[in-house]
Amino acid sequence: MKPLLEVKNLKKHFPTKGTSLFSRNKDMVKAVDGITFTVKAGETLGLVGESGCGKSTAGRSILKLTEPTEGQLIYKGEDITAFRGERMRKLRQEMQLIFQDPYASLNPRKTIEQIITEPMKIFQMEKAARKQKLDRLLDVVGLSSYHKSRYPHEFSGGQRQRIGIARSLALDPELVICDEPVSALDVSIQAQVINLLEELQEEFKLTYIFIAHDLSVIHHISDRVAVMYLGELVEVGEAAEVYKSPKHPYTQALLSAVPKANPHQEKERIILKGDLPSPANPPKGCKFHTRCPFAEAICRSEKPTMKQVSLTGQMAACHFAKEVVN
Ligand code: SF4
């Protein structure tokens, strides 16, 4: 079966501050620097990495909310890379975004009814159908009909995120990019919103790209995981497999920092040296070499390529990960 979405060598580079768009030798921030992955219909792909690794920019580039610098996007077998204007606008019905910040993403001057039905109006849905859809959406996200005349400031953070989710489902999308949808919420509310997203996925047959920096959240919701570092993917695989047996030193370090449910279970914490380097001036060779505890001379000069590291298709980009051939 063909994947729902194929992302091939996607890049998004921004000129650094003070660099003219028209100058020849532009200094570029390589926010996304050549990522390749697929998403199957009905699955959740977790995109994880530290803040500033480029995962949100990747999500927005896939939806073409920011135009990719390079690469190819194939959706349902069709190359949509060159889609612009009306063609892209139509396609956006099928591809939606849930924002990170439920406070900033809702217009404070609009009622909940206006916010949720706005996309339906843009796509000229009949008034009666809009009303019916609104009631249904409020119901499925756990809000009541009387909430529709209220304004965003009258709701808690968790309720606002439910409103944002209802708005993103207004046009019956197939692919939803969830950009850190729970990171601005209290821990007690996070689980409720994650459970809601899982229920909605089941009910509406949704496909998710779930972006987060929290590995516990990603583990809970994802079928497959893609780990991102400085604009590149360093490991991709089935979530259960990556969490049980991470092959890239960066994934190993991230996972070693996740608290274990059993406090008596021993684990060795891998402490990463220094901060994430600037994407405007990334290290040569393996971008992770300045922080990697296993770096050797080759890592400073040669960029590792993705290779298969398990029989089930787990991939990692490290010179020392053992290649496995089916
Ligand atoms: Fe570490 Fe070298 Fe592997 Fe990069 S290639 S992750 S620096 S061991």
Side-chain angles (χ1 to χ4, degrees):
M1 199 173 84
K2 274 199 178 302
L4 182 71
L5 176 74
E6 294 170 73
V7 176
K8 296 183 180 176
N9 195 29
L10 183 72
K11 294 185 183 178
K12 180 64 195 179
H13 296 174
F14 298 98
T16 52
K17 256 193 186 164
T19 304
S20 159
L21 268 175
F22 305 105
S23 65
R24 273 205 185 171
N25 298 317
K26 291 196 276 278
D27 287 329
M28 303 302 274
V29 174
K30 295 173 179 170
V32 180
D33 202 19
I35 59 171
T36 297
F37 62 87
T38 58
V39 189
K40 290 180 255 174
E43 77 168 347
T44 299
L45 177 82
L47 191 54
V48 68
E50 290 165 281
S51 297
C53 73
K55 52 195 189 305
S56 290
T57 307
R60 282 161 190 275
S61 303
I62 290 166
L63 292 180
K64 287 159 70 79
L65 296 171
T66 173
E67 200 56 43
T69 308
E70 214 179 296
Q72 203 180 16
L73 296 167
I74 316 269
Y75 180 71
K76 291 184 176 170
E78 185 175 20
D79 190 339
I80 62 162
T81 319
F83 275 27
R84 305 269 186 290
E86 188 56 21
R87 280 175 99 191
M88 196 58 220
R89 199 180 78 90
K90 278 204 174 127
L91 190 63
R92 286 228 176 84
Q93 290 181 74
E94 296 185 29
M95 305 163 92
Q96 290 288 317
L97 180 70
I98 296 174
F99 293 90
Q100 172 178 4
D101 188 345
Y103 294 89
S105 63
L106 304 178
N107 187 335
R109 291 192 195 86
K110 292 193 171 170
T111 64
I112 302 317
E113 175 167 358
Q114 289 170 323
I115 288 170
I116 297 176
T117 56
E118 194 170 31
M120 306 180 211
K121 272 190 186 165
I122 293 171
F123 283 90
Q124 296 169 353
M125 195 185 278
E126 297 279 321
K127 194 174 175 187
R130 285 203 307 262
K131 192 177 169 317
Q132 205 178 19
K133 190 83 191 259
L134 171 67
D135 288 339
R136 163 116 170 90
L137 287 172
L138 286 171
D139 183 45
V140 293
V141 301
L143 295 170
S144 301
S145 190
Y146 65 81
H147 284 130
K148 59 188 169 196
S149 55
R150 297 194 178 170
Y151 289 86
H153 73 268
E154 298 177 67
F155 293 89
S156 66
Q159 285 175 318
R160 286 184 204 210
Q161 197 52 297
R162 286 170 189 270
I163 296 162
I165 292 169
R167 178 180 55 185
S168 73
L169 299 182
L171 299 172
D172 299 321
E174 292 189 38
L175 175 69
V176 180
I177 298 189
C178 309
D179 186 7
E180 301 256 15
V182 295
S183 59
L185 304 176
D186 288 347
V187 177
S188 56
I189 307 296
Q190 288 186 3
Q192 293 174 16
V193 174
I194 295 280
N195 290 342
L196 172 66
L197 287 169
E198 286 182 318
E199 286 162 22
L200 295 172
Q201 181 172 40
E202 181 92 16
E203 183 159 352
F204 296 105
K205 307 280 171 272
L206 300 170
T207 303
Y208 289 147
I209 295 178
F210 194 98
I211 297 169
H213 63 272
D214 183 330
L215 279 109
S216 308
V217 170
I218 287 280
H219 190 191
H220 182 86
I221 199 165
S222 306
D223 299 300
R224 287 190 307 124
V225 176
V227 183
M228 205 164 165
Y229 185 79
L230 266 188
E232 295 176 353
L233 292 183
V234 295
E235 184 154 6
V236 182
E238 299 293 326
E241 195 171 21
V242 171
Y243 276 75
K244 189 167 154 233
S245 179
K247 296 291 193 278
H248 193 281
Y250 179 59
T251 318
Q252 290 164 0
L254 289 181
L255 285 173
S256 78
V258 176
K260 286 266 186 288
N262 178 358
H264 302 297
Q265 198 177 335
E266 284 209 4
K267 64 166 189 170
E268 196 184 329
R269 171 100 194 251
I270 303 169
I271 309 282
L272 292 180
K273 296 177 272 178
D275 295 323
L276 195 68
S278 165
N281 187 20
K284 297 233 163 20
C286 173
K287 285 186 179 177
F288 186 53
H289 83 253
T290 53
R291 302 170 79 197
C292 180
F294 311 109
E296 295 193 16
I298 186 177
C299 308
R300 287 182 272 281
S301 57
E302 278 185 40
K303 190 178 165 75
T305 51
M306 270 282 186
K307 57 188 167 190
Q308 187 169 331
V309 290
S310 85
L311 289 172
T312 54
Q314 189 174 349
M315 308 283 287
C318 171
H319 290 306
F320 303 107
K322 198 163 165 246
E323 187 159 14
V324 175
V325 182
N326 283 36

